[in-house]
Amino acid sequence: MDPALPGARPAAAGRAPALTRLLCALLRPWLRLRLQPSDPRTLVDASDGRPTVYVLERYGLSDTLILEEAAASAGLPAPLAAADVLPIRRRRSIVYLSRRPRWFGRPQHPTRSETLARLFAHVAQTPGADVRLVPVSIFVGRAPDRQSGWFSVLFSENWVVVGRFRRLLALLLNGRDTIVQFAAPVSLRQLIDEAGGEATERSVRKLSRVLRVHFHRIRAAVIGPDLSHRRTVVNAVLNAEPVREAIAATASKENLPLAKAEKRARDFAMEIAADYSHPLVRSMSFLLNGFWNKLYGGVKMHHFESLRASVPGHEVIYVPCHRSHIDYLLLSWLLYRNGLSVPHIAAGVNLNLPVLGSLLRRGGAFFLRRTFRGNLLYSTVFREYLGQLFARGVPLEYFIEGGRSRTGRLLAPRAGMLSMTLSSFLSQSRRPVLFQPVYIGYEKLMEGKEYIGELSGRPKQKESWLGLLRATKVLRQHYGEVAVSFGEPVYLAELLDEVAPQWREAPGGDDDKPDWAGPAVDALAERILVNINRSADVNPVNLLALALLSTPNHAMAESDLLAQLDLAKRLLVELPYSDRVTVTALEPAQIIAYGEKMQWIERVAHPLGDVLRCGEEQAVLLSYFRNNVQHLFAAAAWVACCFLNNRRMARATLVRLGRLVYPFIRSELFLGWDEDRFGERIEATLDFFTRHDLLETDEDGRIMSRGPGQSDTAFRLRGIAHSLLQAFERYYIALAALVKNGPHSLTAGELENLCYLTAQRLSLLHEVNAPEFFDKSLFRGFIQKLRERRVVWLDENGKLDFDGSLEEVARDARVILSREIRHGILKLTQDMRARLAEDAPEGAAAAAAKPGA
């Protein structure tokens, strides 16, 4: 919330000139200041008696008057308070880093400040004296609101040094959206002591340069870097040595004239490059205000201040989860509205439609093809373009999952962009790189029905204008609230120090890619996804989905639903997954009322107590939102699963089996614990269940037991267990298929396809309303993890081989799965293999023979 200017102004040490007071009074109705931080006194402690001198980037009467108002609003010393005790010519204790603009003639270039030199000399010559310098950045009209009007967009803040008349118009039109950002103070005494106690000309110039760099970084962070024209960037790409070599190689390989190869490279670069436009971004910000208000009930943002503090001085790469096309607009709009520059966004070339592609390009989108394979020239041009963005300090945004998640879970990372980013960092980056994970949580998705259709086998629809026009009907619906949560940042240099301490000795080019680059990129991708999950926001729809989907008919008595929602919230609060996870403040009864309002659930009145339920279609859609937060309940779900078919279990057995299965859960849900810490989490969860009377323990604490199957406590445990049960069923499908067919029988692709068909069939027989149950990518990831851990391996013919230990792992599944499910899986895997053998090669066996089919 913007702090309003107070009516009473704190007393200053001196009195402003009459003309200044008059101008402030005239300007005040046109101003509304947003102070950053909201209470600058946390940075500037004026109680120590040191004189405070403010530093502004540019001279201007308007900036001086705004600073007067901001200091008064924040309760800081007035800009004239120290003027009488310091050797300052003017009445104000302000240092301007640029000279007063001339009325006529060329603008004057920045030079050293005479006031700053006088202050240096004063502190050096006066024992015990000190002066506090406080840099202040001022931005007028950065993001006009709905009341501002279109004309205001033209006069918002940018990199151009404007004249007096244009600045006056900017104040009149956009003064109510003025940002005043205070920085940490600088002690002149400390600087002089570090310089040997003398105020030299070199010290003054050095401090001036440091302050100019500071203001440049703040301006770049707030309004974006000062980008050259698109053609300038393209020319720089085409003139780079790697691109020239690729052009020559292409011309030689394809027997083309050099000019034709150069034209192809230029076409590639123009297809890729963004054409960022500040006016368009400001205009889109204006338009999107109404768009979000129409579609959503609000946009919540968490942990933004930690991001704001980290941005200056870093090359920032935003890496959000990808759940909707809205992600692109939402994150850019939020960053812009809250004082940070809009990143350049990597978008699929399928979005480069006529007109739309041009608009996206001007909003910061640059386009890339789905694959670079077999096209050396395109790959080289794209890498060099990315390097140019790095060299210019442009913030970036891309989705390492490669595409939108159709299941609500994070997808396995695709390391292409990360690998190119690492190469650019090693060869061209001048600043440290910060990856900012971002969790985006919705309460209803525009693409929900489309995702369900694709998971059920319907082909993905290509983007087109006709498709966009058909999709406009979704704009008539309401989609609840959206949460954007900024996770713990990943500093690239620190991560490389952990996984590859020798990285600073790496060669700078792509031709000599170091051996450690692949493992480093994998570690980086995993850390990003783990940190996205560690910043999840749990909304009411997530909790309703978790509870209702645990019942066969997706219906619960109101009293049972209230108790289940309360249990889930207590788990999240008493055993927090991380310090960045946020949970809805609504109480269970309010959550139910909200679900009814959003039409996710319906109430069926009954004399013995109302029943809450969701329909079949709603249940399938709700599985997406359960999967958003499934990872938060991983340990609790494992413990609860162990008591589905067992009344009593040894505590040590629970932990031992949990540690065995954890690597597979971890790779699927991107959990942040190692096996030892997961064991500790299981212990803490057992204690939680004991405290809340869901489990009992014997006298020595070795044996855990639950109540009878028909008891309320057993019902609560089943509700928690169900969120992870289908993952264990998938694991058992793969293990059973391997064991039944024996070693040297199946390729990885055949096993994947066999698992997919078995799970699809099982979902029809047992009414599993969760499309991710038969998602091929999850089976593919599980098989890959089996190979990584050497549970299975490839023989000389490319078939999967294993030893007797796999049968022991399969037998452990009896602890979790019911006899009915085990029997169904074993029967289906055997029948499916026989059926595929009969139908080959015309039928499904033809697809099964292709890895990754």
Side-chain angles (χ1 to χ4, degrees):
M1 188 67 71
D2 300 345
L5 295 177
R9 298 167 58 82
R15 185 169 175 78
L19 180 59
T20 300
R21 297 200 305 273
L22 175 62
L23 291 175
C24 282
L26 291 174
L27 185 62
R28 197 169 298 131
W30 301 93
L31 282 182
R32 183 172 179 85
L33 307 182
R34 276 196 290 164
L35 306 184
Q36 296 178 355
S38 57
D39 184 6
R41 288 174 296 184
T42 58
L43 291 176
V44 183
D45 181 11
S47 62
D48 57 9
R50 288 185 296 165
T52 299
V53 175
Y54 299 95
V55 184
L56 295 179
E57 183 180 11
R58 301 166 181 167
Y59 176 85
L61 177 60
S62 62
D63 283 2
T64 303
L65 298 177
I66 290 170
L67 178 59
E68 293 257 8
E69 293 296 306
S73 175
L76 296 177
L80 55 87
D84 295 336
V85 299
L86 294 173
I88 299 175
R89 287 184 176 180
R90 300 187 187 92
R91 291 287 306 277
R92 298 180 185 87
S93 48
I94 303 175
V95 171
Y96 304 98
L97 293 186
S98 63
R99 294 179 179 176
R100 180 193 297 268
R102 295 169 173 166
W103 283 98
F104 303 101
R106 297 179 180 177
Q108 301 185 78
H109 294 292
T111 183
R112 75 158 194 164
S113 166
E114 186 64 30
T115 303
L116 192 60
R118 288 173 176 268
L119 291 175
F120 256 96
H122 167 73
V123 173
Q125 296 168 8
T126 308
D130 192 9
V131 171
R132 178 195 298 110
L133 295 180
V134 180
V136 183
S137 302
I138 296 174
F139 305 95
V140 176
R142 187 180 167 277
D145 59 24
R146 193 173 184 80
Q147 289 74 36
S148 318
W150 280 98
F151 195 59
S152 307
V153 171
L154 301 176
F155 295 94
S156 299
E157 194 72 47
N158 55 44
W159 283 88
V160 179
V161 180
V162 299
R164 289 175 169 85
F165 179 68
R166 184 182 173 96
R167 190 64 167 180
L168 175 62
L169 287 179
L171 284 168
L172 296 179
L173 293 169
N174 296 323
R176 290 186 173 274
D177 188 31
T178 298
I179 298 174
V180 182
Q181 185 162 333
F182 292 83
V186 177
S187 167
L188 279 188
R189 169 58 61 189
Q190 182 178 347
L191 293 177
I192 291 172
D193 290 344
E194 291 174 356
E198 297 182 2
T200 62
E201 181 74 13
R202 182 178 180 183
S203 300
V204 177
R205 292 187 180 277
K206 180 180 178 181
L207 178 58
S208 297
R209 285 196 304 272
V210 170
L211 289 170
R212 286 194 184 94
V213 169
H214 163 79
F215 283 118
H216 188 278
R217 286 178 175 175
I218 296 298
R219 184 167 289 271
V222 171
I223 67 173
D226 189 10
L227 295 175
S228 301
H229 196 275
R230 180 187 180 198
R231 287 194 180 88
T232 305
V233 179
V234 168
N235 288 337
V237 169
L238 296 177
N239 291 327
E241 187 63 29
V243 176
R244 302 304 306 172
E245 293 175 359
I247 291 172
T250 300
S252 174
K253 180 179 179 181
E254 301 184 19
N255 197 23
L256 293 174
L258 190 61
K260 194 168 184 179
E262 288 177 347
K263 182 180 183 303
R264 184 185 296 182
R266 181 173 291 277
D267 290 343
F268 286 157
M270 295 299 287
E271 174 190 308
I272 294 166
D275 192 15
Y276 187 85
S277 165
H278 284 301
L280 180 77
V281 169
R282 291 193 292 268
S283 301
M284 290 303 297
S285 172
F286 174 87
L287 278 177
L288 287 174
N289 288 339
F291 181 77
W292 300 131
N293 292 332
K294 180 177 177 61
L295 258 65
Y296 297 105
V299 179
K300 299 182 296 183
M301 191 168 57
H302 304 294
H303 315 298
F304 179 75
E305 291 303 323
S306 62
L307 167 66
R308 190 201 301 278
S310 304
V311 165
H314 285 90
E315 173 69 23
V316 182
I317 301 172
Y318 298 94
V319 276
C321 59
H322 199 9
R323 290 174 176 160
S324 170
H325 279 313
I326 294 297
D327 299 342
Y328 297 103
L329 298 174
L330 180 64
L331 183 56
S332 294
W333 177 79
L334 267 181
L335 293 172
Y336 187 76
R337 289 289 299 176
N338 288 276
L340 293 181
S341 62
V342 174
H344 276 39
I345 306 170
V349 74
N350 57 312
L351 293 176
N352 191 17
L353 301 172
V355 182
L356 177 63
S358 178
L359 288 174
L360 293 175
R361 209 181 286 276
R362 291 178 180 274
F366 61 97
F367 296 99
L368 71 159
R369 299 179 180 180
R370 290 297 182 187
T371 178
F372 297 179
R373 188 172 299 169
N375 196 334
L376 174 64
L377 183 57
Y378 181 88
S379 173
T380 306
V381 169
F382 187 88
R383 288 174 183 272
E384 186 59 35
Y385 176 73
L386 198 65
Q388 288 292 328
L389 296 184
F390 257 84
R392 295 162 191 263
V394 178
L396 301 176
E397 175 188 336
Y398 50 74
F399 303 94
I400 65 172
E401 296 171 273
R404 291 167 291 155
S405 171
R406 268 64 175 175
T407 64
R409 299 163 174 250
L410 292 180
L411 303 179
R414 298 186 179 180
M417 287 295 295
L418 290 177
S419 180
M420 287 185 279
T421 300
L422 178 59
S423 298
S424 298
F425 169 70
L426 295 175
S427 61
Q428 300 198 46
S429 183
R430 301 188 182 99
R431 303 191 299 172
V433 173
L434 178 154
F435 287 91
Q436 178 57 62
V438 184
Y439 176 93
I440 303 176
Y442 297 92
E443 293 179 348
K444 189 176 284 188
L445 278 176
M446 291 185 180
E447 302 97 330
K449 293 184 179 180
E450 171 193 334
Y451 290 171
I452 301 306
E454 291 176 17
L455 285 170
S456 300
R458 192 177 67 198
K460 180 181 181 295
Q461 298 295 315
K462 293 184 178 181
E463 281 74 12
S464 66
W465 268 110
L466 182 60
L468 290 175
L469 292 175
R470 288 174 179 168
T472 54
K473 62 182 180 181
V474 303
L475 301 181
R476 296 194 293 268
Q477 301 180 33
H478 183 70
Y479 294 91
E481 291 187 339
V482 185
V484 178
S485 184
F486 295 93
E488 184 180 350
V490 179
Y491 295 92
L492 182 55
E494 293 182 6
L495 182 134
L496 292 179
D497 286 337
E498 292 178 22
V499 301
Q502 72 277 25
W503 71 271
R504 298 179 193 276
E505 305 167 6
D510 291 333
D511 296 335
D512 300 318
K513 193 172 183 179
D515 294 337
W516 52 261
V521 168
D522 292 341
L524 175 61
E526 182 180 7
R527 183 77 58 86
I528 289 170
L529 293 177
V530 165
N531 285 4
I532 289 175
N533 269 345
R534 285 172 56 84
S535 57
D537 175 82
V538 185
N539 61 46
V541 179
N542 298 139
L543 294 177
L544 284 171
L546 192 78
L548 286 174
L549 296 185
S550 66
T551 61
N553 295 322
H554 316 307
M556 295 179 74
E558 185 171 18
S559 58
D560 289 333
L561 182 55
L562 288 169
Q564 198 69 23
L565 292 172
D566 181 67
L567 173 62
K569 283 197 66 175
R570 286 179 182 274
L571 258 171
L572 294 170
V573 173
E574 295 185 28
L575 293 178
Y577 184 84
S578 82
D579 58 358
R580 293 196 180 226
V581 168
T582 51
V583 183
T584 177
L586 298 183
E587 295 299 322
Q590 296 172 313
I591 292 174
I592 292 174
Y594 189 76
E596 293 180 85
K597 177 184 174 183
M598 292 289 294
Q599 299 181 348
W600 277 118
I601 59 175
E602 62 178 352
R603 180 183 295 269
V604 180
H606 193 276
L608 298 182
D610 290 358
V611 173
L612 282 308
R613 70 180 184 185
C614 60
E616 290 301 315
E617 182 178 333
Q618 298 294 74
V620 177
L621 293 171
L622 279 174
S623 67
Y624 192 98
F625 300 96
R626 178 197 60 190
N627 293 345
N628 290 169
V629 298
Q630 195 174 37
H631 61 283
L632 303 179
F633 297 90
W638 163 255
V639 172
C641 279
C642 290
F643 288 94
L644 283 175
N645 303 299
N646 303 278
R647 283 286 304 271
R648 293 161 54 86
M649 282 195 71
R651 192 178 185 115
T653 302
L654 285 163
V655 176
R656 178 183 63 81
L657 293 179
R659 287 165 58 96
L660 286 176
V661 78
Y662 177 66
F664 305 104
I665 306 174
R666 179 181 183 179
S667 65
E668 182 173 324
L669 300 182
F670 298 102
L671 304 177
W673 306 300
D674 58 23
E675 292 175 24
D676 290 336
R677 290 176 59 202
F678 185 68
E680 295 171 2
R681 183 79 177 187
I682 292 175
E683 296 275 11
T685 303
L686 289 170
D687 293 338
F688 171 88
F689 284 156
T690 303
R691 286 198 308 272
H692 291 276
D693 300 324
L694 296 174
L695 292 176
E696 297 177 355
T697 183
D698 61 2
E699 293 182 359
D700 56 5
R702 295 173 57 191
I703 304 298
M704 310 296 298
S705 60
R706 63 161 171 84
Q710 68 274 18
S711 63
D712 286 344
T713 56
F715 180 79
R716 305 281 175 268
L717 285 173
R718 283 199 297 273
I720 294 295
H722 196 274
S723 66
L724 206 60
L725 182 60
Q726 289 164 359
F728 295 125
E729 290 174 351
R730 272 189 277 103
Y731 299 162
Y732 189 64
I733 288 172
L735 296 177
L738 276 170
V739 171
K740 270 289 180 183
N741 288 281
H744 313 290
S745 299
L746 298 172
T747 66
E750 289 171 340
L751 176 60
E752 178 189 321
N753 199 59
L754 181 60
C755 292
Y756 164 72
L757 293 173
T758 302
Q760 193 178 52
R761 174 89 169 164
L762 199 65
S763 71
L764 296 174
L765 294 174
H766 294 274
E767 295 184 336
V768 179
N769 288 301
E772 78 278 359
F773 180 64
F774 48 86
D775 183 7
K776 282 188 176 182
S777 65
L778 296 179
F779 284 113
R780 189 179 309 132
F782 178 67
I783 296 167
Q784 179 61 32
K785 182 58 66 173
L786 288 174
R787 292 177 59 184
E788 288 178 8
R789 297 186 68 82
R790 298 294 296 169
V791 177
V792 300
W793 55 89
L794 295 181
D795 63 13
E796 62 274 9
N797 297 317
K799 304 287 187 177
L800 294 172
D801 191 12
F802 53 88
D803 56 27
S805 62
L806 188 67
E807 296 185 22
E808 297 178 12
V809 175
R811 281 196 296 269
D812 284 336
R814 297 176 184 175
V815 174
I816 303 297
L817 304 182
S818 67
R819 181 177 300 174
E820 179 186 10
I821 291 292
R822 293 203 313 272
H823 174 74
I825 291 173
L826 291 173
K827 187 174 188 305
L828 278 175
T829 52
Q830 185 173 2
D831 292 348
M832 196 69 67
R833 179 64 177 171
R835 187 177 297 274
L836 290 178
E838 292 173 3
D839 295 342
E842 292 86 358
K850 299 178 182 178

